[in-house]
Amino acid sequence: NADIIIANYDGKRFTTEVTFATNAPTFSGNVTTGIASGSVSGAFAQGPGGADMPPDPVKGIMGNFTANDNAGWSSTGIFAGSTSGVTQ
């Protein structure tokens, strides 16, 4: 398990605890702190060498989330990131 923190999103900050799928490069979870409810899901993208070939087994991450504070505010969003330029 791991935590994903979404911060400075429309003035909100919330944390989701995610679990990783077995035999798949995906993850998902539900909001644990910061707002009333929400969820997140995503996947990792492989580098040109594939999952078993260093130096780039993971080249990026992408996913989506939903959030609701039960006081009239709700939203959906997407996220993406890359390991380009990160020393591995």
Coordinates of all heavy atoms in Angstrom, one line a residue:
N1 N 0.8 -1.2 0.0 CA 0.0 0.0 0.0 C 0.9 1.2 0.0 O 2.0 1.2 0.4 CB -0.9 0.0 1.2 CG -2.0 -1.1 1.2 OD1 -2.0 -1.8 0.3 ND2 -2.8 -1.1 2.2
A2 N 0.3 2.3 -0.5 CA 1.0 3.6 -0.5 C -0.1 4.7 -0.4 O -1.3 4.5 -0.6 CB 1.8 3.8 -1.8
D3 N 0.4 5.9 -0.1 CA -0.5 7.1 -0.1 C -0.3 8.0 -1.3 O 0.9 8.2 -1.7 CB -0.3 7.9 1.2 CG -0.8 7.2 2.4 OD1 -1.7 6.4 2.3 OD2 -0.4 7.6 3.5
I4 N -1.3 8.5 -1.8 CA -1.2 9.5 -2.9 C -1.9 10.8 -2.3 O -3.0 10.7 -1.8 CB -2.0 9.1 -4.2 CG1 -1.3 7.9 -4.8 CG2 -2.1 10.3 -5.1 CD1 -2.0 7.5 -6.1
I5 N -1.1 11.9 -2.3 CA -1.6 13.1 -1.7 C -1.9 14.1 -2.9 O -1.0 14.3 -3.7 CB -0.6 13.8 -0.8 CG1 -0.3 12.8 0.4 CG2 -1.1 15.1 -0.3 CD1 0.8 13.2 1.2
I6 N -3.1 14.6 -3.0 CA -3.5 15.6 -4.0 C -3.6 16.9 -3.2 O -4.5 17.0 -2.3 CB -4.8 15.2 -4.7 CG1 -4.5 13.8 -5.4 CG2 -5.2 16.3 -5.7 CD1 -5.8 13.2 -6.0
A7 N -2.8 17.9 -3.5 CA -2.7 19.1 -2.8 C -2.9 20.3 -3.7 O -2.6 20.2 -4.9 CB -1.4 19.2 -2.1
N8 N -3.4 21.4 -3.1 CA -3.6 22.7 -3.9 C -4.5 22.5 -5.1 O -4.3 23.1 -6.1 CB -2.3 23.3 -4.3 CG -1.4 23.6 -3.1 OD1 -1.9 24.0 -2.1 ND2 -0.1 23.3 -3.2
Y9 N -5.5 21.6 -4.9 CA -6.5 21.4 -6.0 C -7.7 22.1 -5.6 O -8.5 21.7 -4.7 CB -6.7 19.9 -6.2 CG -7.7 19.6 -7.3 CD1 -7.2 19.7 -8.6 CD2 -9.0 19.3 -7.1 CE1 -8.1 19.5 -9.7 CE2 -9.9 19.1 -8.1 CZ -9.4 19.2 -9.4 OH -10.3 19.0 -10.5
D10 N -8.0 23.2 -6.2 CA -9.2 24.1 -5.9 C -9.2 24.4 -4.4 O -10.3 24.4 -3.8 CB -10.4 23.4 -6.4 CG -11.6 24.3 -6.6 OD1 -11.4 25.5 -6.7 OD2 -12.8 23.9 -6.6
G11 N -8.1 24.6 -3.8 CA -8.0 24.9 -2.4 C -8.1 23.7 -1.5 O -8.2 23.9 -0.3
K12 N -8.2 22.6 -2.0 CA -8.4 21.3 -1.2 C -7.1 20.5 -1.2 O -6.2 20.6 -2.1 CB -9.5 20.5 -1.8 CG -10.8 21.2 -2.1 CD -11.6 21.3 -0.9 CE -13.0 21.8 -1.3 NZ -13.7 22.5 -0.2
R13 N -7.0 19.7 -0.2 CA -5.9 18.7 0.0 C -6.5 17.4 0.5 O -7.2 17.5 1.5 CB -4.8 19.2 0.9 CG -3.7 18.2 1.2 CD -2.8 18.8 2.3 NE -1.8 17.8 2.7 CZ -0.6 17.6 2.3 NH1 -0.2 18.5 1.4 NH2 0.2 16.7 2.7
F14 N -6.2 16.3 -0.1 CA -6.7 15.1 0.4 C -5.8 13.9 0.1 O -4.9 14.0 -0.8 CB -8.2 14.8 -0.1 CG -8.4 14.9 -1.6 CD1 -8.3 13.9 -2.5 CD2 -8.6 16.2 -2.1 CE1 -8.5 14.0 -3.8 CE2 -8.8 16.4 -3.5 CZ -8.8 15.3 -4.3
T15 N -5.9 12.9 0.9 CA -5.0 11.7 0.8 C -5.8 10.5 0.5 O -6.9 10.3 1.0 CB -4.3 11.5 2.1 OG1 -3.6 12.7 2.4 CG2 -3.3 10.4 2.0
T16 N -5.3 9.7 -0.4 CA -5.9 8.4 -0.7 C -4.9 7.3 -0.4 O -3.7 7.4 -0.7 CB -6.4 8.2 -2.2 OG1 -5.2 8.3 -3.0 CG2 -7.4 9.3 -2.5
E17 N -5.4 6.2 0.2 CA -4.5 5.0 0.4 C -4.8 4.1 -0.8 O -5.9 3.7 -1.0 CB -4.8 4.3 1.7 CG -3.9 3.2 1.9 CD -4.2 2.5 3.3 OE1 -4.5 3.2 4.3 OE2 -4.0 1.2 3.3
V18 N -3.8 3.7 -1.5 CA -4.0 2.9 -2.7 C -3.3 1.5 -2.5 O -2.4 1.4 -1.7 CB -3.4 3.5 -4.0 CG1 -4.1 4.8 -4.3 CG2 -1.9 3.8 -3.9
T19 N -3.9 0.5 -3.2 CA -3.3 -0.8 -3.2 C -2.9 -1.1 -4.7 O -3.5 -0.5 -5.6 CB -4.3 -1.9 -2.7 OG1 -5.5 -1.8 -3.5 CG2 -4.6 -1.7 -1.2
F20 N -1.9 -1.9 -4.9 CA -1.4 -2.2 -6.2 C -2.0 -3.6 -6.6 O -2.0 -4.5 -5.8 CB 0.1 -2.2 -6.2 CG 0.7 -0.9 -5.8 CD1 1.0 -0.6 -4.5 CD2 0.8 0.1 -6.7 CE1 1.5 0.6 -4.1 CE2 1.3 1.3 -6.4 CZ 1.7 1.6 -5.1
A21 N -2.4 -3.6 -7.9 CA -2.9 -4.9 -8.4 C -1.8 -6.0 -8.5 O -0.6 -5.6 -8.7 CB -3.5 -4.6 -9.8
T22 N -2.2 -7.2 -8.4 CA -1.3 -8.3 -8.6 C -1.2 -8.6 -10.1 O -2.2 -8.7 -10.8 CB -1.8 -9.6 -7.9 OG1 -2.0 -9.2 -6.5 CG2 -0.9 -10.7 -8.0
N23 N 0.0 -8.7 -10.6 CA 0.3 -9.0 -12.0 C -0.3 -8.0 -13.0 O -0.6 -8.3 -14.1 CB -0.3 -10.4 -12.4 CG 0.4 -11.5 -11.5 OD1 1.6 -11.4 -11.3 ND2 -0.4 -12.4 -11.1
A24 N -0.4 -6.7 -12.6 CA -0.8 -5.6 -13.5 C -0.2 -4.3 -12.9 O -0.1 -4.2 -11.7 CB -2.3 -5.5 -13.5
P25 N 0.1 -3.4 -13.8 CA 0.8 -2.2 -13.4 C -0.2 -1.1 -13.0 O -0.2 0.0 -13.4 CB 1.6 -1.8 -14.6 CG 0.7 -2.2 -15.8 CD 0.1 -3.6 -15.3
T26 N -1.2 -1.5 -12.2 CA -2.3 -0.5 -11.8 C -2.4 -0.4 -10.3 O -1.9 -1.2 -9.6 CB -3.6 -1.0 -12.4 OG1 -4.0 -2.3 -11.9 CG2 -3.6 -1.1 -13.9
F27 N -3.1 0.6 -9.9 CA -3.4 0.9 -8.5 C -4.8 1.6 -8.4 O -5.3 2.2 -9.3 CB -2.3 1.7 -7.8 CG -2.1 3.1 -8.5 CD1 -2.8 4.2 -8.2 CD2 -1.2 3.2 -9.6 CE1 -2.6 5.4 -8.8 CE2 -1.0 4.4 -10.2 CZ -1.7 5.5 -9.8
S28 N -5.4 1.5 -7.2 CA -6.6 2.1 -6.9 C -6.8 2.3 -5.4 O -6.2 1.5 -4.6 CB -7.8 1.4 -7.5 OG -7.9 0.1 -6.9
G29 N -7.7 3.2 -5.0 CA -8.0 3.4 -3.6 C -9.0 4.4 -3.3 O -9.5 5.1 -4.3
N30 N -9.3 4.6 -2.1 CA -10.4 5.6 -1.7 C -9.7 6.7 -0.8 O -8.7 6.4 -0.1 CB -11.5 4.9 -0.9 CG -12.3 4.0 -1.8 OD1 -12.6 4.3 -2.9 ND2 -12.5 2.7 -1.4
V31 N -10.4 7.8 -0.7 CA -9.9 8.9 0.1 C -10.0 8.5 1.6 O -10.9 7.9 2.0 CB -10.8 10.2 -0.2 CG1 -10.6 11.2 0.9 CG2 -10.6 10.7 -1.6
T32 N -8.9 8.8 2.3 CA -8.8 8.5 3.7 C -8.8 9.8 4.6 O -9.2 9.7 5.7 CB -7.5 7.7 4.0 OG1 -6.4 8.4 3.6 CG2 -7.6 6.3 3.3
T33 N -8.3 10.9 4.1 CA -8.3 12.1 4.9 C -8.5 13.3 4.0 O -8.2 13.3 2.8 CB -7.0 12.3 5.7 OG1 -6.0 12.4 4.7 CG2 -6.8 11.2 6.6
G34 N -9.0 14.4 4.6 CA -9.1 15.7 3.9 C -10.5 16.1 3.4 O -10.8 17.3 3.5
I35 N -11.2 15.2 2.8 CA -12.6 15.5 2.4 C -13.5 14.3 2.7 O -13.0 13.3 3.2 CB -12.6 15.8 0.8 CG1 -12.1 14.6 0.0 CG2 -11.9 17.1 0.5 CD1 -12.3 14.8 -1.4
A36 N -14.7 14.4 2.4 CA -15.7 13.4 2.8 C -15.5 12.1 2.0 O -15.6 11.0 2.6 CB -17.1 13.9 2.7
S37 N -15.4 12.1 0.7 CA -15.3 10.9 -0.1 C -14.6 11.2 -1.4 O -14.5 12.3 -1.8 CB -16.7 10.3 -0.3 OG -17.4 11.2 -1.2
G38 N -14.1 10.1 -2.0 CA -13.5 10.1 -3.3 C -12.7 8.9 -3.6 O -12.6 8.0 -2.7
S39 N -12.1 8.8 -4.7 CA -11.4 7.6 -5.1 C -10.3 8.0 -6.1 O -10.4 9.1 -6.7 CB -12.3 6.6 -5.7 OG -12.9 7.1 -6.9
V40 N -9.4 7.2 -6.3 CA -8.3 7.4 -7.3 C -8.0 6.0 -8.0 O -8.1 5.0 -7.3 CB -7.0 8.0 -6.6 CG1 -6.4 7.0 -5.6 CG2 -6.0 8.4 -7.7
S41 N -7.6 6.1 -9.2 CA -7.1 4.9 -9.9 C -6.1 5.3 -10.9 O -6.1 6.5 -11.4 CB -8.2 4.1 -10.6 OG -8.9 4.9 -11.6
G42 N -5.2 4.4 -11.3 CA -4.1 4.8 -12.2 C -3.3 3.6 -12.7 O -3.6 2.5 -12.3
A43 N -2.3 3.9 -13.5 CA -1.4 2.9 -14.0 C 0.0 3.5 -14.2 O 0.2 4.7 -14.4 CB -2.0 2.4 -15.3
F44 N 0.9 2.6 -14.3 CA 2.3 2.9 -14.6 C 2.6 2.6 -16.1 O 2.1 1.6 -16.6 CB 3.3 2.1 -13.7 CG 3.1 2.4 -12.3 CD1 2.4 1.6 -11.5 CD2 3.6 3.6 -11.7 CE1 2.2 1.8 -10.1 CE2 3.5 3.9 -10.4 CZ 2.8 3.0 -9.6
A45 N 3.4 3.4 -16.7 CA 3.8 3.2 -18.1 C 5.2 2.7 -18.1 O 6.1 3.2 -17.4 CB 3.7 4.5 -18.9
Q46 N 5.5 1.6 -18.9 CA 6.8 1.1 -19.0 C 7.7 1.9 -19.9 O 7.2 2.5 -20.9 CB 6.7 -0.4 -19.6 CG 6.1 -1.3 -18.7 CD 6.0 -2.7 -19.3 OE1 6.4 -2.9 -20.4 NE2 5.7 -3.7 -18.5
G47 N 9.0 1.8 -19.7 CA 10.0 2.4 -20.5 C 10.2 1.6 -21.7 O 9.7 0.5 -21.9
P48 N 11.1 2.0 -22.6 CA 11.4 1.2 -23.8 C 12.0 -0.2 -23.6 O 11.8 -1.0 -24.4 CB 12.4 2.1 -24.6 CG 12.9 3.0 -23.6 CD 11.9 3.2 -22.5
G49 N 12.6 -0.4 -22.4 CA 13.1 -1.7 -22.1 C 12.2 -2.7 -21.5 O 12.5 -3.8 -21.3
G50 N 10.9 -2.2 -21.2 CA 10.0 -3.1 -20.6 C 10.2 -3.2 -19.1 O 11.1 -2.6 -18.5
A51 N 9.3 -3.9 -18.5 CA 9.3 -4.1 -17.0 C 10.6 -4.7 -16.5 O 11.0 -4.5 -15.3 CB 8.1 -4.8 -16.5
D52 N 11.2 -5.6 -17.2 CA 12.3 -6.4 -16.8 C 13.7 -5.9 -17.2 O 14.7 -6.5 -17.0 CB 12.2 -7.8 -17.2 CG 10.9 -8.5 -16.6 OD1 10.6 -8.2 -15.4 OD2 10.3 -9.3 -17.3
M53 N 13.7 -4.7 -17.9 CA 14.9 -4.2 -18.5 C 15.3 -2.8 -17.9 O 14.8 -1.8 -18.3 CB 14.7 -4.0 -20.0 CG 14.4 -5.3 -20.7 SD 15.8 -6.4 -20.9 CE 16.7 -5.5 -22.1
P54 N 16.3 -2.8 -17.0 CA 16.8 -1.5 -16.5 C 17.4 -0.8 -17.7 O 17.8 -1.4 -18.6 CB 17.8 -1.9 -15.4 CG 17.5 -3.3 -15.1 CD 16.9 -3.9 -16.3
P55 N 17.6 0.5 -17.7 CA 17.4 1.4 -16.5 C 16.0 2.0 -16.4 O 15.8 2.8 -15.6 CB 18.4 2.5 -16.8 CG 18.4 2.6 -18.3 CD 18.2 1.2 -18.8
D56 N 15.1 1.7 -17.3 CA 13.8 2.4 -17.3 C 12.6 1.5 -17.2 O 11.8 1.4 -18.1 CB 13.6 3.2 -18.6 CG 14.5 4.4 -18.7 OD1 14.8 5.0 -17.7 OD2 15.0 4.7 -19.8
P57 N 12.5 0.7 -16.1 CA 11.3 -0.2 -16.0 C 10.0 0.6 -15.9 O 9.0 0.1 -16.3 CB 11.6 -1.0 -14.7 CG 12.5 -0.1 -13.9 CD 13.3 0.7 -14.9
V58 N 10.0 1.8 -15.3 CA 8.8 2.6 -15.2 C 9.2 4.0 -15.8 O 10.1 4.6 -15.3 CB 8.3 2.8 -13.7 CG1 7.1 3.7 -13.7 CG2 7.9 1.4 -13.2
K59 N 8.4 4.4 -16.7 CA 8.7 5.7 -17.4 C 7.7 6.8 -17.0 O 8.0 7.9 -17.2 CB 8.8 5.5 -18.9 CG 9.5 6.6 -19.6 CD 11.0 6.6 -19.2 CE 11.8 7.6 -20.0 NZ 13.1 7.8 -19.4
G60 N 6.5 6.4 -16.6 CA 5.5 7.4 -16.2 C 4.4 6.8 -15.4 O 4.3 5.6 -15.1
I61 N 3.5 7.7 -15.0 CA 2.3 7.4 -14.2 C 1.2 8.2 -14.7 O 1.4 9.4 -15.1 CB 2.6 7.6 -12.7 CG1 1.4 7.1 -11.9 CG2 3.0 9.0 -12.4 CD1 1.7 7.2 -10.4
M62 N 0.0 7.7 -14.7 CA -1.2 8.4 -15.1 C -2.4 7.9 -14.4 O -2.4 6.7 -14.0 CB -1.4 8.4 -16.6 CG -1.8 7.0 -17.2 SD -1.0 6.6 -18.7 CE 0.6 6.1 -18.2
G63 N -3.5 8.7 -14.2 CA -4.7 8.2 -13.6 C -5.7 9.3 -13.5 O -5.6 10.4 -14.0
N64 N -6.7 9.0 -12.6 CA -7.8 9.9 -12.4 C -8.3 9.9 -11.0 O -8.0 8.9 -10.3 CB -9.0 9.7 -13.4 CG -9.5 8.3 -13.2 OD1 -10.2 8.0 -12.2 ND2 -9.3 7.4 -14.2
F65 N -9.1 10.9 -10.6 CA -9.6 10.9 -9.2 C -11.0 11.6 -9.2 O -11.3 12.4 -10.1 CB -8.7 11.5 -8.2 CG -8.4 13.0 -8.4 CD1 -9.2 13.9 -7.9 CD2 -7.4 13.4 -9.2 CE1 -9.0 15.3 -8.0 CE2 -7.1 14.7 -9.4 CZ -7.9 15.7 -8.8
T66 N -11.8 11.3 -8.2 CA -13.0 12.0 -7.9 C -12.9 12.4 -6.5 O -12.2 11.8 -5.6 CB -14.2 11.0 -8.1 OG1 -14.1 10.0 -7.1 CG2 -14.3 10.5 -9.5
A67 N -13.6 13.5 -6.2 CA -13.6 14.1 -4.8 C -14.9 14.8 -4.5 O -15.5 15.4 -5.4 CB -12.5 15.0 -4.7
N68 N -15.4 14.7 -3.3 CA -16.7 15.3 -2.8 C -16.6 15.6 -1.4 O -16.2 14.8 -0.6 CB -17.8 14.3 -3.1 CG -19.2 14.8 -2.8 OD1 -19.3 15.7 -1.9 ND2 -20.1 14.4 -3.5
D69 N -16.9 16.9 -1.0 CA -16.8 17.3 0.4 C -18.2 17.2 1.1 O -18.3 17.6 2.3 CB -16.2 18.6 0.6 CG -17.0 19.8 0.1 OD1 -18.2 19.6 -0.4 OD2 -16.6 20.9 0.2
N70 N -19.2 16.8 0.4 CA -20.6 16.7 1.0 C -21.2 18.0 1.4 O -22.1 18.0 2.2 CB -20.7 15.6 2.1 CG -20.6 14.2 1.6 OD1 -20.7 14.0 0.4 ND2 -20.4 13.3 2.5
A71 N -20.6 19.1 0.9 CA -21.1 20.4 1.3 C -21.3 21.2 0.0 O -21.2 22.5 0.0 CB -20.1 21.1 2.2
G72 N -21.5 20.6 -1.1 CA -21.8 21.2 -2.4 C -20.6 21.3 -3.3 O -20.8 21.7 -4.5
W73 N -19.4 20.9 -2.9 CA -18.3 20.9 -3.8 C -17.9 19.5 -4.2 O -17.9 18.6 -3.4 CB -17.0 21.5 -3.1 CG -15.8 21.5 -3.9 CD1 -15.4 22.5 -4.8 CD2 -14.8 20.5 -4.0 NE1 -14.2 22.1 -5.4 CE2 -13.8 20.9 -4.9 CE3 -14.7 19.2 -3.4 CZ2 -12.7 20.1 -5.2 CZ3 -13.5 18.4 -3.7 CH2 -12.6 18.9 -4.6
S74 N -17.7 19.3 -5.5 CA -17.3 18.0 -6.0 C -16.5 18.2 -7.3 O -16.6 19.3 -7.9 CB -18.4 17.0 -6.3 OG -19.2 17.5 -7.3
S75 N -15.6 17.3 -7.6 CA -14.8 17.4 -8.8 C -14.2 16.1 -9.2 O -14.2 15.1 -8.5 CB -13.6 18.4 -8.4 OG -12.9 18.6 -9.6
T76 N -13.8 16.1 -10.5 CA -13.0 15.0 -11.0 C -11.7 15.6 -11.6 O -11.7 16.8 -11.9 CB -13.7 14.2 -12.1 OG1 -14.0 15.1 -13.2 CG2 -15.0 13.6 -11.6
G77 N -10.7 14.8 -11.7 CA -9.4 15.3 -12.2 C -8.6 14.2 -12.7 O -8.9 13.0 -12.5
I78 N -7.5 14.5 -13.5 CA -6.6 13.6 -14.0 C -5.2 14.0 -13.6 O -4.9 15.2 -13.2 CB -6.6 13.5 -15.5 CG1 -6.4 14.9 -16.2 CG2 -8.0 13.0 -16.0 CD1 -6.2 14.8 -17.7
F79 N -4.3 13.0 -13.5 CA -2.9 13.4 -13.2 C -2.0 12.5 -14.1 O -2.3 11.5 -14.6 CB -2.6 13.1 -11.7 CG -2.8 11.7 -11.3 CD1 -1.8 10.8 -11.3 CD2 -4.1 11.4 -10.7 CE1 -2.1 9.5 -10.9 CE2 -4.3 10.1 -10.3 CZ -3.3 9.1 -10.3
A80 N -0.8 13.0 -14.3 CA 0.2 12.3 -15.1 C 1.6 12.8 -14.7 O 1.8 13.9 -14.2 CB 0.0 12.6 -16.6
G81 N 2.6 11.9 -14.8 CA 3.9 12.3 -14.5 C 4.9 11.4 -15.2 O 4.6 10.4 -15.8
S82 N 6.2 11.8 -15.2 CA 7.2 11.2 -16.0 C 8.5 11.1 -15.2 O 8.7 11.9 -14.3 CB 7.5 11.9 -17.3 OG 8.6 11.5 -17.9
T83 N 9.3 10.0 -15.4 CA 10.6 9.9 -14.8 C 11.7 10.5 -15.7 O 12.8 10.4 -15.3 CB 10.9 8.5 -14.5 OG1 10.9 7.7 -15.7 CG2 9.9 7.8 -13.5
S84 N 11.3 11.2 -16.7 CA 12.3 11.8 -17.6 C 13.1 12.8 -16.8 O 12.6 13.6 -16.1 CB 11.7 12.5 -18.8 OG 11.1 11.6 -19.6
G85 N 14.4 12.7 -16.9 CA 15.3 13.6 -16.2 C 15.5 13.3 -14.7 O 16.2 14.0 -14.0
V86 N 14.9 12.2 -14.2 CA 15.1 11.7 -12.9 C 16.2 10.7 -12.8 O 16.1 9.7 -13.6 CB 13.8 11.2 -12.3 CG1 14.1 10.6 -10.9 CG2 12.7 12.2 -12.3
T87 N 17.2 10.9 -12.0 CA 18.3 9.9 -11.9 C 17.8 8.6 -11.3 O 17.2 8.7 -10.2 CB 19.5 10.5 -11.1 OG1 19.9 11.7 -11.8 CG2 20.6 9.5 -11.1
Q88 N 18.0 7.5 -11.9 CA 17.5 6.2 -11.4 C 18.6 5.3 -11.0 O 19.7 5.4 -11.5 CB 16.6 5.5 -12.4 CG 15.4 6.4 -12.7 CD 14.5 5.6 -13.7 OE1 14.5 4.4 -13.8 NE2 13.6 6.4 -14.4

